[in-house]
Amino acid sequence: MRPFIVVVTLVVLACAEDNQSVFHSGRPAPSSEPNTVDAIRELVLRDLISHDSDQARVAGTSTCFISFEKNPDPPQAFLDRLTGACALVRPWSQLAAAGGPVQSSPTGGTRISFNVGSIHWRTNSEADLEAEYNCGSLCSAAYQYRVRWTASGWVVDEATMMWIS
């Protein structure tokens, strides 16, 4: 009986520690994914960047400026996760100094701002959030995402375009 109590105690403590960093709307994310919020943000950004590429604004030659709902400048460690998704990945605060979003700059490439909204938990393994991009006049869109936890990690269950310009 004693080993069972020790195992249960360790599991409870591990879950409580993980949940401190991933609570949103009062619901914890699965304890098996320690960086759940960042994993969801990265998944949605990569999906949104691929939407941009599909629309002939090639992210591979673009500078992407990233922001989150309450933090216009994500940590550099998060930006580093997106290496290779765009030619350059920068925090959103550097966008104004670069001249703002633009479809095609004189030096080639595009400057695109991406914003990921807050995560709204439906269950501990399913969440909704909004994300958008802007690369200038008549070059922006917003999507409503539903993501789901699977045995292999977070996946996009649904991406619905809310508006496009």
Side-chain angles (χ1 to χ4, degrees):
M1 185 70 172
R2 195 176 283 266
F4 174 75
I5 293 172
V6 170
V7 169
V8 169
T9 302
L10 291 173
V11 168
V12 168
L13 289 173
C15 290
E17 183 178 309
D18 281 347
N19 289 343
Q20 288 177 0
S21 63
V22 295
F23 265 93
H24 287 270
S25 305
R27 292 193 180 126
S31 60
S32 56
E33 177 67 17
N35 292 316
T36 297
V37 172
D38 282 349
I40 291 171
R41 287 174 172 158
E42 181 181 1
L43 172 71
V44 166
L45 279 166
R46 287 185 180 278
D47 188 78
L48 195 56
I49 288 168
S50 74
H51 281 286
D52 189 65
S53 296
D54 292 343
Q55 297 170 30
R57 289 177 291 278
V58 181
T61 61
S62 300
T63 303
C64 297
F65 297 87
I66 310 298
S67 70
F68 300 150
E69 77 281 355
K70 293 180 183 172
N71 184 1
D73 286 347
Q76 186 61 47
F78 181 86
L79 298 175
D80 291 344
R81 292 170 75 147
L82 296 172
T83 298
C86 298
L88 296 170
V89 180
R90 301 282 184 251
W92 185 85
S93 65
Q94 293 180 11
L95 181 61
V102 65
Q103 268 182 296
S104 183
S105 68
T107 59
T110 300
R111 292 189 300 266
I112 312 168
S113 68
F114 291 92
N115 181 57
V116 177
S118 58
I119 297 170
H120 303 281
W121 296 101
R122 297 174 59 79
T123 68
N124 70 340
S125 61
E126 189 176 70
D128 293 331
L129 64 154
E130 294 178 10
E132 61 188 24
Y133 69 84
N134 178 357
C135 49
S137 173
L138 301 178
C139 179
S140 58
Y143 292 82
Q144 174 71 40
Y145 281 90
R146 174 154 302 151
V147 296
R148 179 176 43 87
W149 175 256
T150 67
S152 59
W154 288 98
V155 297
V156 172
D157 233 9
E158 196 175 319
T160 305
M161 183 180 289
M162 296 173 18
W163 56 264
I164 189 165
S165 161

